[in-house]
Amino acid sequence: MSYLETTHNVYKEAALTPDIGLCCTTNPIWELPGLKIPKIMQEMNYGCGSTVHARDLTNNPKMLYVGVGGGMELLQFAYFNRQKGGVIGVDVVDEMLEASRKNFMEAEAQNPWFKSEFVDLKKGDAMNLPVEDNSIDVAAQNCLFNIFKADDLKKAIAEMYRVLKPHGRLVMSDPTCEQHMNDELRNDERLRALCLSGSLPIAEYVKALTDAGFGTIEIRARKPYRILDPKNYPTDELIYIESIEVAAIKDPMPADGPCVFTGKAAIYYGADNYFDDKAGHVLLKNQPLAICDKTAATLQALNRDDIYFSESTFHYDGGGCC
C-alpha cells in the first residue's frame, strides 16, 4: 500500500465517522455576520489554520479549494461569492465529497443566504486537477500539501499554478518543522497522513513554491502546532511542529529572484523627511515599511545608521515594498 492509499483510507474513515481533532485542531471557526457554521462541519474541521482572508476575497473571485474536509472553508468562501459554481471543491475521497454535500444541506437550513449550488464539488486528484488553465482567482488548501512527498508535492503545486489566473493567489495552511526528523518518522505513512511527519522547514516549503514560478510569497502567520515526544513517537528528542499560513501569488518572477515576505520592516529615522533608495523604495520618516527579505538585504547592505530593520515576525498583512 502506498502512502497515498493510507491517506485515502484515513480520510475515508474520517468522512464516515467524524473524528474531532483527528489531525488538526487549530483551524479557527470564523462565524462572520450572518454566517453560521453547522456543528457537523466543526466536528470535521481537519485544517491546521485558516485560508479564509477577506482581503483575498473581494469582487466575487472564482475560488478553488482542494481537499474539502467537511466543507467548512468552502462555506466560508461561498459567503464572499454567493454565485452558482463560484467555489469549486475538489477531493479524491468519494465519502468526503458525499459528507460535504450532506453538510451543505444543514448549512442551507442555518443560513438563509446560502445555496448548495454555490459550491461545485468535483472528484479529482490534487496532482491532476479537473479545472481549466488560468481560470481561478483564489486557490486554497489546508493541511494537505504537507502530506505529499517531494515529487508529488511538486506536481500538486504545479497544478495550482496552472489553474490560477495571472496575479491569482494560492492560500495555504500547513504544518512545518525546523528540526530533523528521522527516517522512521518520515516513512510512517499514518503519521504522514495525520499531518505530522511530512512537515518541512519553512525555507524548503517556500522554495517549493518559488521553484514552481510564484514570484511573491507572503507568510501571514506562524503558530505552535504539535509536539512529537519520545514517549509516544519513534524519536529520541522532542520535536516541535508549527503551522504556517502562506499566500503564493502568481506574479511574474523578478529578474533578481522572488519577493518573500516574512514580516520584516524598515524604519527610517534620519534627518530628512524620507529616504529614497532610487530603486522603488521610499521610507517615510518614522513610518514602518513592510519589506521583503530581498529588499531588507539590499537596504542593509547600504550600512546606513539611520534605518532600523526588524527581524522576521512571520506575520505579514500586506502593504509591502513590492
Side-chain angles (χ1 to χ4, degrees):
M1 181 182 295
S2 74
Y3 83 98
L4 291 175
E5 290 176 296
T6 299
T7 301
H8 183 284
N9 291 338
V10 165
Y11 290 97
K12 174 182 176 179
E13 290 302 316
L16 295 173
T17 306
D19 187 351
I20 299 173
L22 168 71
C23 62
C24 325
T25 58
T26 56
N27 193 0
I29 312 295
W30 300 126
E31 291 205 340
L32 299 159
L35 171 63
K36 292 296 181 183
I37 307 294
K39 182 179 178 182
I40 184 62
M41 285 186 174
Q42 298 181 35
E43 291 175 348
M44 298 179 70
N45 173 18
Y46 303 138
C48 65
S50 180
T51 64
V52 182
H53 299 267
R55 68 183 177 94
D56 299 328
L57 303 175
T58 58
N59 301 317
N60 297 318
K62 182 73 173 182
M63 291 174 272
L64 167 68
Y65 192 82
V66 181
V68 301
M72 186 182 79
E73 288 196 311
L74 287 165
L75 174 63
Q76 292 169 326
F77 279 129
Y79 176 89
F80 291 91
N81 188 289
R82 307 191 186 192
Q83 298 182 61
K84 183 177 180 180
V87 184
I88 299 172
V90 174
D91 206 298
V92 74
V93 181
D94 290 320
E95 292 79 6
M96 197 65 80
L97 290 167
E98 183 58 29
S100 290
R101 289 190 181 94
K102 291 180 180 178
N103 293 349
F104 287 146
M105 299 300 293
E106 182 65 26
E108 283 191 12
Q110 295 186 30
N111 295 276
W113 60 267
F114 178 69
K115 297 179 181 179
S116 294
E117 67 180 20
F118 292 168
V119 182
D120 182 9
L121 290 173
K122 296 184 177 184
K123 182 171 183 179
D125 191 321
M127 289 167 275
N128 188 24
L129 293 170
V131 180
E132 294 180 358
D133 296 359
N134 305 308
S135 62
I136 300 296
D137 295 295
V138 179
Q141 65 83 21
N142 197 330
C143 218
L144 171 65
F145 280 7
N146 75 100
I147 294 173
F148 294 140
K149 293 184 179 180
D151 288 345
D152 292 335
L153 176 61
K154 183 177 180 179
K155 293 175 185 176
I157 294 174
E159 275 294 274
M160 289 291 211
Y161 188 90
R162 175 184 67 80
V163 303
L164 282 170
K165 297 176 182 178
H167 307 293
R169 55 194 59 204
L170 168 58
V171 187
M172 299 159 288
S173 181
D174 271 307
T176 61
C177 182
E178 300 303 313
Q179 294 171 252
H180 171 74
M181 284 196 192
N182 61 49
D183 289 343
E184 188 172 358
L185 283 170
R186 289 291 188 197
N187 294 327
D188 188 310
E189 294 179 356
R190 183 169 177 81
L191 290 182
R192 184 173 283 272
L194 295 177
C195 307
L196 294 171
S197 64
S199 305
L200 296 174
I202 292 175
E204 289 186 27
Y205 188 93
V206 169
K207 187 176 186 301
L209 295 167
T210 58
D211 283 351
F214 288 99
T216 302
I217 308 294
E218 302 176 353
I219 297 182
R220 296 175 169 181
R222 180 179 180 179
K223 300 176 290 186
Y225 178 66
R226 288 287 191 279
I227 291 293
L228 303 183
D229 66 280
K231 293 182 180 179
N232 295 290
Y233 298 92
T235 173
D236 294 329
E237 63 174 340
L238 206 67
I239 296 178
Y240 172 55
I241 301 177
E242 298 171 295
S243 70
I244 59 169
E245 296 174 12
V246 177
I249 303 173
K250 193 176 177 178
D251 289 337
M253 182 65 68
D256 58 350
C259 296
V260 180
F261 289 90
T262 62
K264 291 183 177 180
I267 305 175
Y268 170 67
Y269 56 93
D272 298 323
N273 290 328
Y274 64 90
F275 168 72
D276 184 349
D277 72 348
K278 309 300 182 183
H281 310 114
V282 177
L283 281 65
L284 301 179
K285 188 172 183 177
N286 286 322
Q287 297 295 314
L289 175 67
I291 53 177
C292 71
D293 291 5
K294 183 174 59 178
T295 298
T298 299
L299 292 176
Q300 285 175 315
L302 299 176
N303 293 317
R304 295 182 64 98
D305 62 1
D306 55 4
I307 303 177
Y308 175 83
F309 298 93
S310 74
E311 298 295 327
S312 296
T313 62
F314 297 96
H315 179 83
Y316 175 72
D317 266 339
C321 61
C322 305

